[in-house]
Amino acid sequence: MRDHFEIRDADGAGRIGRLEVPRAGRTVETPALLPVINPNTLTIEPSRLESEFDVEALITNSYIIRRTEGLRERALDEGLHDMLGFDGAIMTDSGSFQLAEYGEIDVTTDEILRFQHEIGSDIGTPVDIPTPPDVSREQAESDLAVTEQALADAEAIDVGEMLVSAPVQGATYPDLREQAGRHAAGTDLDVFPIGAVVPMMNNYRYADLVEAVAAAKRGLSTDCPVHLFGAGHPMMLALAVALGCDLFDSAAYALYARDDRYLTVSGTRHLDDLDYFPCSCPICAAHTPAEIREEADEPRERLLAEHNLHVTFEELRRIKQAIRSGTLLELVDRRARGHPAMYDGYRALLDHAAQLEREDPISKGTFFYTSPESARRPEVLRHHERLDRLSTPESLLLTEAGAPDGDEYDAAWRVLPPFGPFPRELADSYPFTAAVPEQPDRAGQLAAADGVRALVEANPDTEFTLAIDEWHADARKRVPDRVTVESLRAIQQRGPE
Ligand code: GUN
Ligand code: ZN
């Protein structure tokens, strides 16, 4: 067990947790987003992050500090917390990202972790190799061997109470990501960042991102706190949390602001293209886009960065409340409608419904059917897989609407798209209290038909009658031949025998 991470609530594979950071003398609630502080350019003062944005943890780069005259001495002298003016938890990165950008860095894991410890970091990072997507398998494997050696080097150093992260690499090879996850979870390191996903996000390759994260998660154990390195755009947070990511860091709020880009939960807008702000944060409430365009470079950048952070933390609070309410997948569905890249990501997530199902709570609030993709949710899969546990009488009527009473059949069960048939006793249980559209769509009917088929196949001795009036022809085709299909009206008119 990793005793510094406690999971308090869950939905999908997403969770609300508590990460204990002993060196900071505090806990951090997850999902958490750690704003990236470039020690050379403080776009927003860290003390304001704490007082105005309730930021509990931030991340900065120990490699930049170490090689910058002045910063290095101050950090060693005063410690990171005083130097930055921040009392919360501070995570430090190692320079691996610079390695990926510029090809080389002149520091070892041993040197940089000791330095991180000396300057008072609360969570340190070894020198992993962020292998980009699409490299050859040989390259991905040999890079991964170097990363795994870095983890071994990190384990060998005494860093006192500082937590140490164990990055998971493997490029776009799911089996390598899974193996890397299993290896990382087998070390005695503490936090598990999934690395080298920035190039995927920059190219809007969200299906690939989901594959990489899902694979890494299969290797990691449930109790590992998982960080998604370099991720923090508000449009993708719900998706990443639903996959089981707990920590995020992002320079996006500041980098985008520098280019006059305005973050929203459904993508990025350019300040020049906005006539109105779709946001009520303190910045947007007090200014119009035209007013911000008038500002000089520096205040304009700061105002945009502040909005960008506000909208990001607002989304994070919305996500946490959705986990509490059991509606995280509805939120992911909503975000998938905001941007085609998120739609790709959502569909890739649903390809892993079985993996999500293992951690998804058995009971939540109300299942909302909000799109054809809802038919592929883990709850639907779970019901279909468990239909063989239900015992059926000799003759069973399955109907979409309310069942007619009478003794023509031993029992009547409702068929609810997308779940399919379920016995009356379960009518008040999750997920059968679902709110579904008046007119079920084709995906919902097809899934319901799959449920009928699973039940029929599991009960060869039962005689089934299916009373449905308006099913799509493709859904009817999925119902086994031995089921008698009738119209409910005909059965009602006939009445009990
Ligand atoms: N920041 C963004 N991606 C990465 C990564 O893969 N490794 C490290 N150490 N930092 C990162
Ligand atoms: Zn705003």
Side-chain angles (χ1 to χ4, degrees), residues 262 279-281 283-284 307 310:
Y262 178 95
C279 174
S280 304
C281 80
I283 305 305
C284 299
H307 155 79
H310 278 297

Side-chain angles (χ1 to χ4, degrees), residues 93-94 96-97 125-126 128 130 169 195-196 198 229-230:
D93 203 347
S94 58
S96 291
F97 197 64
T125 306
D128 55 307
Q169 300 288 348
V198 170
F229 254 146

Side-chain angles (χ1 to χ4, degrees), residues 358-369:
R358 269 167 252 146
E359 289 170 46
D360 193 39
I362 300 294
S363 182
K364 327 179 190 170
T366 304
F367 181 108
F368 269 44
Y369 191 96

Side-chain angles (χ1 to χ4, degrees), residues 44-253:
I44 302 178
E45 287 293 331
S47 60
R48 289 191 55 216
L49 290 177
E50 205 165 358
S51 59
E52 290 175 36
F53 294 84
D54 295 325
V55 167
E56 296 187 322
L58 59 75
I59 182 167
T60 190
N61 193 307
S62 65
Y63 178 73
I64 295 176
I65 295 171
R66 185 170 177 272
R67 63 148 199 224
T68 309
E69 210 70 39
L71 282 180
R72 183 177 61 234
E73 285 67 36
R74 276 190 64 201
L76 285 167
D77 253 25
E78 306 169 23
L80 263 185
H81 292 79
D82 283 353
M83 180 174 102
L84 296 177
F86 185 76
D87 283 335
I90 299 182
M91 179 171 179
T92 42
D93 203 347
S94 58
S96 291
F97 197 64
Q98 283 64 28
L99 174 67
E101 295 277 290
Y102 309 115
E104 61 178 313
I105 54 169
D106 54 355
V107 74
T108 63
T109 286
D110 190 75
E111 290 164 342
I112 200 71
L113 262 187
R114 286 184 197 282
F115 180 70
Q116 292 174 45
H117 182 249
E118 277 178 78
I119 62 177
S121 173
D122 301 309
I123 308 174
T125 306
V127 182
D128 55 307
I129 310 284
T131 310
D134 311 318
V135 299
S136 71
R137 189 175 174 93
E138 293 66 42
Q139 174 84 49
E141 280 176 357
S142 67
D143 281 2
L144 187 54
V146 176
T147 293
E148 293 185 349
Q149 183 56 50
L151 304 195
D153 295 346
E155 278 185 285
I157 305 167
D158 178 9
V159 290
E161 282 194 317
M162 181 171 83
L163 300 180
V164 177
S165 74
V168 176
Q169 300 288 348
T172 24
Y173 296 95
D175 61 318
L176 290 186
R177 288 278 184 182
E178 182 172 344
Q179 178 197 314
R182 191 163 297 116
H183 176 271
T187 66
D188 61 15
L189 303 178
D190 309 290
V191 174
F192 301 86
I194 298 171
V197 296
V198 170
M200 299 181 198
M201 296 188 296
N202 287 345
N203 292 301
Y204 291 97
R205 290 171 59 175
Y206 279 88
D208 291 335
L209 173 86
V210 167
E211 291 309 321
V213 173
K217 286 286 294 187
R218 286 194 292 278
L220 294 162
S221 46
T222 307
D223 59 358
C224 293
V226 176
H227 182 140
L228 194 59
F229 254 146
H233 194 299
M235 76 174 171
M236 57 82 67
L237 291 175
L239 175 69
V241 169
L243 278 161
C245 298
D246 308 296
L247 297 158
F248 302 89
D249 69 90
S250 189
Y253 75 99

Side-chain angles (χ1 to χ4, degrees), residues 270-339:
H270 198 280
L271 181 61
D272 290 346
D273 298 333
L274 292 174
D275 295 318
Y276 306 94
F277 281 139
C279 174
S280 304
C281 80
I283 305 305
C284 299
H287 303 84
T288 64
E291 284 165 13
I292 294 194
R293 279 196 288 273
E294 300 280 296
E295 297 277 352
D297 287 356
E298 208 181 289
R300 193 173 71 247
E301 178 182 331
R302 190 180 46 74
L303 290 166
L304 283 175
E306 287 187 27
H307 155 79
N308 288 346
L309 267 187
H310 278 297
V311 72
T312 305
F313 287 119
E314 174 181 286
E315 178 70 351
L316 215 50
R317 291 191 295 274
R318 187 179 288 120
I319 289 167
K320 288 194 267 200
Q321 184 58 49
I323 294 174
R324 278 279 146 77
S325 311
T327 56
L328 180 60
L329 290 172
E330 281 88 350
L331 179 59
V332 177
D333 192 300
R334 226 152 60 228
R335 293 295 171 252
R337 312 299 137 182
H339 196 291

